Amino acid sequence: MAALAYNLGKREINHYFSVRSAKVLALVAVLLLAACHLASRRYRGNDSCEYLLSSGRFLGEKVWQPHSCMMHKYKISEAKNCLVDKHIAFIGDSRIRQLFYSFVKIINPQFKEEGNKHGNIPFEDKIASVKVDFLWHPEVNGSMKQCIKVWTEDSVTKPHVIVAGAATWSIKIHNGSNEALSQYKMNITSIAPLLEKLAKTSDVYWVLQDPVYEDLLSENRKMITNEKIDAYNEAAVSILNSSTRNSKSNVKMFSVSKLIAQETIMESLDGLHLPESSRETSAMILMNVYCNKILKPVDGSCCQPRPPLTLIQKLAACFFTLSIIGYLIFYIIHRNAHRKNKPCTDLESGEEKKNIINAPVSPLEILLQSFCKLGLIMAYFYICDRANLFMKENKFYTHSTFFIPIIYILVLGVFYNENTKETKVLNREQTDEWKGWMQLVILIYHISGASTFLPVYMHIRVLVAAYLFQTGYGHFSYFWIKGDFGIHRVCQVLFRLNFLVVVLCIVMDRPYQFYYFVPLVTVWFMVIYVTLALWPQIIQKKANGNCFWHFGLLLKLAFLLLCICFLAYSQGAFEKIFSLWPLSKCFELKGNVYEWWFRWRLDRYVVFHGMLFAFIYLALQKRQVLSEGKGEPLFSNKISNFLLFISVVSFLTYSIWASSCKNKAECNELHPSVSVVQILAFILIRNIPGYARSVYSSFFAWFGKISLELFICQYHIWLAADTRGILVLIPGNPMLNIIVSTFIFVCVAHEISQITNDLAQIIIPKENSSLLKRLACIAAFFCGLLILSSIQDKSRH
């Protein structure tokens, strides 16, 4: 009864809510969200620098998240590169002095907080030609005005960045009197025009006063209350913002330190000065404000303008626009023709008759429709990760953000279980299920930022290796059993693997190697194909007639292993091969192929292991050593129990080792040799018991069928900043944001999978003559792309 109720409920849900209706709902959600964000940008402004300087929140205890954009953590080399030949001046009291020290420590961590506290403090890095000065002016008075006035003179070299602020000394010296506040207003009014004049050529920031922790203040500072500080801040903001006739002041308000201080001032030692971690955050914000527009770090979206469109991107936009127009014209013509051919009533019989039988959908219509849909989807990709419409935020890892979603999907996966059509080892349903749950775990790993937690990182490395293991197993099995080495099969596989990535490389202006997994799988597919297709071609049918051919195949595999070992331990030879043009255009990242060598080397043996496993399994299957009937254990009871015990022990042993690794470099060195242990252990645990082989999770299998699209699409429309951040469609509600963005992301991935399948049937025909013509067109397309890419690179340099 329960099973019947479940099936009836499932049928009822599918009747009202299908994949098609889900996609329509996703499209409506995208349009509504885009409209809301566009309205918000017009109302609140489109300057992410303002958000960085004025708003944000803490993720955890010490990680600051600006509103709507991502903050980059600058390294020493990056800071020096940005500030080369620059002069930065900090003017103010002891709080500004603390900010000065924290800023300098980004450039030189060994710089010590020494010198006269109530005097000027210079810093200079002669190698990088960076100069940072602190000028002691604890009050906004004539002394500060004179210092600023000197820089306004045409003959004087001006600092590139000026950071100023003061108030607490005025409150303290004058015992918080109203007269002191009035004098402060007068002084800042006289300084404001000078700051405005400097702001035309330099970046000028006025630091608003942080709150104090009144309970910790010493007796001689008790008059410095938060009420007084708020009054001084209001005066500074109102005067500096109204100091120019323009609608907007050029002097930027650094008010974000107030928000940081509100969360951390209770950790202060004296109630007045902020703890070191808070000062470091404020200094890093200053670095982001100035350097993001210069260095343009991918994970520093604050203060970065939208990147200009390249020539290739413009041509792609034109192509998709023409495709959309072409499809609309085709649709209108087809619809008018359909109206003319509507059923008409026979006057004699009173029955309806059709004039013309509906013609099948033409390949041209499928082609135009596919490119029309793809163009709209690519527009969404671009808006999400290249335009400044939607927001982006930094990742922040906690154990709960990773493990709780894992538990959720595990429960869903177990709930949606069905019987398999066949009970062979690694049958199609099972491999789809395997791909599905692995892909979901990898997605959760990426969005939670779990790469910082080494045990999780190592287990995810095994999942990536398992994908490659399936590549070796699946393609070897196909070639071994079918013996189909025709060009059509090769083109079909290459097209399905690479179509989306090639389009994204064009639209998102990223190199092919950036989407590292697809080049990895593509190269390994070609390695498998060449290994088996080269003379002598050895397939199962031939080997069954003579066992000698099995030995020949093992020799081929041994030679492949020898080549892998040589390339793995000869970085120079590997880089020479892939640095040759045009291979270099595909495998270079940031001007070299080191990243490609590192990625390839990390899982260098696992495809070979997959091929070897497929060979052994198919040989045992052919000799009827395995019992693959429904409900039957794979081997005899004793052997099955022994192998299960060994598998569980091996599985747990690997997990214990991965959890005890000291660093990534050490783990990565051993990973290529030991990852196969956990993969084989999982296969045996999943397949030895007959009841385990007889069922599969339809929930995981559904995701497994679009796992490649999910992996690639996450770069730009689920994550952001090329996977380094999180896309924010619904600000202020992280849980709802994840639910909505995930729903849209999955719908897009499924649609792209269907588009790829439709285009593969048209672009890669079965007839050899047609296929060769298409291949010539594809080759011409890539030649043109290479030429345009070279022109583009020269213009950039």
Side-chain angles (χ1 to χ4, degrees):
M1 287 297 292
L4 179 62
Y6 166 74
N7 287 327
L8 286 172
K10 188 176 174 184
R11 222 173 292 151
E12 189 72 16
I13 291 168
N14 289 339
H15 177 71
Y16 290 104
F17 191 78
S18 61
V19 173
R20 183 183 178 84
S21 59
K23 289 175 183 176
V24 172
L25 186 60
L27 177 61
V28 172
V30 168
L31 294 174
L32 287 175
L33 288 167
C36 290
H37 277 267
L38 189 62
S40 175
R41 292 281 180 180
R42 286 179 176 271
Y43 176 73
R44 299 184 60 182
N46 198 28
D47 189 358
S48 59
C49 273
E50 286 189 7
Y51 296 139
L52 178 60
L53 291 169
S54 62
S55 57
R57 69 185 191 278
F58 271 107
L59 301 175
E61 294 181 1
K62 295 182 179 179
V63 179
W64 183 254
Q65 173 58 61
H67 175 70
S68 85
C69 62
M70 295 170 61
M71 198 167 81
H72 178 66
K73 189 173 182 180
Y74 277 89
K75 299 174 184 176
I76 300 168
S77 58
E78 291 175 320
K80 288 182 177 180
N81 187 28
C82 168
L83 300 174
V84 64
D85 296 326
K86 298 294 188 295
H87 178 204
I88 298 95
F90 288 79
I91 313 166
D93 54 17
S94 56
R95 287 175 158 188
I96 299 296
R97 183 180 65 236
Q98 284 188 313
L99 185 58
F100 157 80
Y101 277 126
S102 296
F103 188 87
V104 169
K105 284 180 180 178
I106 299 174
I107 305 165
N108 181 7
Q110 282 74 42
F111 187 71
K112 295 180 180 179
E113 298 186 17
E114 296 177 345
N116 183 7
K117 288 185 176 181
H118 295 170
N120 298 341
I121 304 171
F123 167 80
E124 187 174 3
D125 188 315
K126 292 183 179 179
I127 297 172
S129 189
V130 179
K131 187 180 178 184
V132 187
D133 289 326
F134 169 70
L135 306 175
W136 173 252
H137 291 283
E139 286 191 271
V140 180
N141 54 20
S143 176
M144 181 185 280
K145 180 180 178 181
Q146 185 58 36
C147 175
I148 295 169
K149 189 176 181 181
V150 170
W151 289 328
T152 61
E153 296 174 5
D154 295 336
S155 59
V156 177
T157 304
K158 300 167 181 61
H160 297 88
V161 181
I162 298 167
V163 182
T168 53
W169 267 67
S170 298
I171 300 171
K172 177 183 173 183
I173 292 172
H174 300 94
N175 201 28
S177 66
N178 291 330
E179 290 78 8
L181 177 58
S182 299
Q183 187 61 46
Y184 179 84
K185 291 178 179 179
M186 289 173 60
N187 291 339
I188 204 167
T189 301
S190 66
I191 288 175
L194 301 176
L195 292 175
E196 278 295 332
K197 188 175 180 181
L198 280 173
K200 293 177 181 178
T201 54
S202 305
D203 287 356
V204 180
Y205 304 95
W206 186 267
V207 181
L208 297 184
Q209 293 301 299
D210 303 326
V212 296
Y213 193 49
E214 295 178 13
D215 295 344
L216 282 178
L217 291 174
S218 59
E219 286 300 321
N220 64 338
R221 290 175 176 166
K222 286 292 184 182
M223 70 292 294
I224 307 174
T225 63
N226 286 323
E227 185 181 350
K228 290 291 181 185
I229 285 174
D230 288 341
Y232 275 73
N233 282 338
E234 286 174 14
V237 171
S238 62
I239 293 167
L240 290 172
N241 281 342
S242 62
S243 62
T244 177
R245 292 180 181 178
N246 299 328
S247 59
K248 191 174 181 182
S249 172
N250 291 318
V251 178
K252 301 176 181 70
M253 290 294 150
F254 193 81
S255 58
V256 70
S257 60
K258 286 199 309 174
L259 297 179
I260 297 168
Q262 285 170 4
E263 300 290 333
T264 61
I265 191 63
M266 60 283 299
E267 299 172 22
S268 171
L269 298 176
D270 58 7
L272 179 67
H273 298 99
L274 293 178
E276 189 174 357
S277 61
S278 303
R279 291 185 276 129
E280 288 172 353
T281 301
S282 294
M284 195 59 73
I285 289 171
L286 277 175
M287 191 68 74
N288 273 259
V289 170
Y290 186 76
C291 290
N292 281 5
K293 57 182 175 287
I294 297 172
L295 297 186
K296 298 178 181 176
V298 174
D299 60 341
S301 64
C302 301
C303 300
Q304 274 204 55
R306 183 175 63 84
L309 287 172
T310 64
L311 175 61
I312 294 174
Q313 286 176 310
K314 289 175 182 176
L315 290 173
C318 291
F319 171 78
F320 284 122
T321 303
L322 290 173
S323 297
I324 293 168
I325 294 168
Y327 176 69
L328 290 174
I329 294 169
F330 192 96
Y331 177 77
I332 291 166
I333 294 170
H334 181 76
R335 190 173 180 181
N336 288 336
H338 180 72
R339 280 179 179 175
K340 290 177 182 178
N341 296 324
K342 271 188 176 180
C344 58
T345 304
D346 192 318
L347 296 176
E348 292 181 7
S349 64
E351 294 179 356
E352 289 187 346
K353 291 184 179 181
K354 289 185 180 179
N355 293 336
I356 299 173
I357 297 170
N358 288 335
V361 180
S362 68
L364 177 61
E365 184 177 358
I366 295 172
L367 195 70
L368 286 172
Q369 186 183 50
S370 297
F371 280 124
C372 176
K373 290 179 182 178
L374 190 64
L376 295 173
I377 291 171
M378 287 302 112
Y380 179 63
F381 270 79
Y382 187 86
I383 289 170
C384 285
D385 211 24
R386 290 294 176 270
N388 293 326
L389 181 62
F390 296 129
M391 302 174 181
K392 303 172 186 177
E393 288 190 354
N394 296 88
K395 298 177 186 178
F396 178 70
Y397 175 74
T398 61
H399 292 317
S400 60
T401 57
F402 177 75
F403 289 104
I404 290 176
I406 295 289
I407 295 169
Y408 284 160
I409 66 162
L410 179 64
V411 171
L412 283 170
V414 172
F415 182 74
Y416 287 94
N417 65 84
E418 296 181 12
N419 293 326
T420 57
K421 293 177 182 177
E422 56 179 345
T423 55
K424 293 181 180 179
V425 173
L426 293 179
N427 56 67
R428 183 60 183 267
E429 287 97 341
Q430 191 184 129
T431 53
D432 283 340
E433 173 202 90
W434 192 8
K435 289 176 183 176
W437 72 256
M438 286 195 303
Q439 186 56 63
L440 292 176
V441 171
I442 290 171
L443 290 174
I444 294 168
Y445 163 82
H446 281 154
I447 202 165
S448 63
S451 59
T452 56
F453 187 48
L454 194 55
V456 172
Y457 167 81
M458 287 311 300
H459 282 85
I460 296 299
R461 289 286 356 134
V462 173
L463 299 189
V464 175
Y467 268 104
L468 293 171
F469 181 92
Q470 286 193 56
T471 297
Y473 171 83
H475 290 305
F476 178 91
S477 300
Y478 179 86
F479 290 128
W480 177 248
I481 295 169
K482 301 280 187 181
D484 178 12
F485 296 100
I487 193 171
H488 177 261
R489 164 71 181 178
V490 176
C491 292
Q492 280 274 336
V493 172
L494 292 179
F495 183 86
R496 290 175 189 273
L497 286 176
N498 291 276
F499 173 70
L500 175 57
V501 164
V502 169
V503 173
L504 284 177
C505 288
I506 293 168
V507 173
M508 306 304 288
D509 189 31
R510 284 293 175 262
Y512 179 62
Q513 180 55 34
F514 175 75
Y515 305 92
Y516 74 93
F517 186 73
V518 171
L520 202 57
V521 177
T522 301
V523 167
W524 278 117
F525 167 72
M526 291 307 300
V527 167
I528 297 166
Y529 176 77
V530 170
T531 301
L532 297 178
L534 283 179
W535 184 89
Q537 284 186 4
I538 304 170
I539 59 174
Q540 189 179 58
K541 189 176 180 181
K542 184 187 289 187
N544 288 339
N546 190 341
C547 289
F548 172 78
W549 290 114
H550 285 98
F551 179 70
L553 181 64
L554 289 173
L555 282 178
K556 274 192 170 188
L557 293 178
F559 179 73
L560 173 62
L561 180 61
L562 190 67
C563 292
I564 292 169
C565 292
F566 170 74
L567 290 175
Y569 293 101
S570 179
Q571 184 179 351
F574 185 94
E575 290 186 352
K576 281 180 181 177
I577 292 169
F578 288 98
S579 293
L580 296 171
W581 192 89
L583 285 178
S584 60
K585 295 294 292 183
C586 294
F587 297 101
E588 278 186 357
L589 195 64
K590 296 178 181 177
N592 58 67
V593 295
Y594 173 78
E595 182 72 15
W596 165 234
W597 180 77
F598 170 77
R599 294 285 187 185
W600 177 87
R601 192 173 182 270
L602 204 54
D603 294 300
R604 56 188 178 271
Y605 300 127
V606 74
V607 174
F608 171 81
H609 290 147
M611 295 170 70
L612 189 62
F613 176 82
F615 173 72
I616 294 169
Y617 162 67
L618 292 170
L620 292 174
Q621 188 186 59
K622 196 69 181 175
R623 282 157 180 74
Q624 298 182 341
V625 175
L626 307 175
S627 302
E628 294 183 297
K630 190 171 185 179
E632 296 179 8
L634 201 59
F635 304 98
S636 64
N637 287 333
K638 286 185 178 180
I639 295 174
S640 294
N641 291 335
F642 174 74
L643 287 175
L644 275 175
F645 175 76
I646 294 296
S647 299
V648 171
V649 170
S650 301
F651 196 90
L652 295 175
T653 302
Y654 178 90
S655 294
I656 293 167
W657 169 78
S659 301
S660 62
C661 266
K662 294 178 181 177
N663 55 67
K664 282 186 181 181
E666 179 186 304
C667 293
N668 286 338
E669 195 62 36
L670 290 172
H671 167 78
S673 304
V674 299
S675 61
V676 69
V677 172
Q678 204 167 39
I679 294 169
L680 291 177
F682 170 78
I683 292 172
L684 293 176
I685 293 168
R686 182 70 179 82
N687 286 277
I688 286 177
Y691 61 87
R693 282 198 322 277
S694 302
V695 295
Y696 78 104
S697 169
S698 56
F699 175 79
F700 289 141
W702 190 88
F703 285 99
K705 291 173 183 176
I706 58 170
S707 58
L708 181 66
E709 287 77 16
L710 287 171
F711 186 87
I712 300 166
C713 289
Q714 68 170 318
Y715 276 72
H716 304 294
I717 62 167
W718 194 54
L719 302 173
D722 298 342
T723 73
R724 289 175 174 83
I726 298 171
L727 181 68
V728 179
L729 299 177
I730 302 175
N733 195 326
M735 183 60 69
L736 183 60
N737 177 66
I738 290 295
I739 292 170
V740 173
S741 64
T742 302
F743 174 69
I744 296 169
F745 158 60
V746 172
C747 288
V748 168
H750 189 272
E751 186 61 33
I752 289 176
S753 177
Q754 290 188 334
I755 290 169
T756 305
N757 290 335
D758 290 341
L759 290 176
Q761 302 301 321
I762 297 170
I763 296 174
I764 312 295
K766 290 183 178 180
E767 298 80 12
N768 282 337
S769 58
S770 300
L771 180 57
L772 289 173
K773 290 176 184 177
R774 301 285 168 83
L775 289 178
C777 293
I778 292 170
F781 167 77
F782 279 108
C783 286
L785 199 62
L786 285 171
I787 293 167
L788 288 173
S789 179
S790 300
I791 294 169
Q792 200 168 273
D793 290 342
K794 286 179 181 178
S795 65
R796 279 174 178 170
H797 293 307

